Amino acid sequence: MNEHDIGDTMTGVDPSRLDDQQLMKELETIHRTRHDTLLYGSNDALRAHNDRMARLEGEWLRRNPRRPVAPGRTREGARERGCGQAATCLL
């Protein structure tokens, strides 16, 4: 069997079998198609998209456990960013 055999056609190649470059390409593609799938895809298509995206992102996180986190993307950073711009601030 190879990556194009039955079983891979609906869910794609197992993310653990992709090299880093292939994994990033798959992630870029799935994120690019997310909006259209959400708006116009069937329930089955959306379920498959959710599953595939979770598997790809999970593999990326497994490979990159010490990825840099931007301060503004943390809960504390979001609070600091939001209080100056939002009408209400719940602190």
Side-chain angles (χ1 to χ4, degrees):
M1 289 197 140
N2 64 41
E3 66 186 32
H4 301 291
D5 288 334
I6 213 89
D8 285 341
T9 56
M10 292 299 286
T11 59
V13 176
D14 184 335
S16 67
R17 293 173 45 196
L18 300 171
D19 65 31
D20 288 346
Q21 185 176 5
Q22 292 168 323
L23 179 61
M24 187 55 66
K25 184 176 178 181
E26 289 284 319
L27 282 165
E28 289 169 353
T29 298
I30 203 156
H31 287 126
R32 188 175 56 251
T33 61
R34 179 66 182 169
H35 192 73
D36 282 344
T37 304
L38 176 64
L39 295 179
Y40 309 114
S42 67
N43 288 340
D44 286 342
L46 186 57
R47 260 189 300 279
H49 202 275
N50 288 342
D51 179 63
R52 180 69 175 163
M53 187 164 51
R55 292 173 59 218
L56 290 166
E57 288 177 347
E59 179 62 21
W60 191 87
L61 290 168
R62 186 189 69 74
R63 294 181 192 187
N64 299 279
R66 299 180 198 270
R67 72 192 193 289
V69 176
R73 300 300 294 185
T74 64
R75 183 172 287 188
E76 182 179 331
R79 284 185 184 129
E80 289 175 13
R81 183 179 67 241
C83 287
Q85 300 168 357
T88 61
C89 184
L90 304 172
L91 286 179

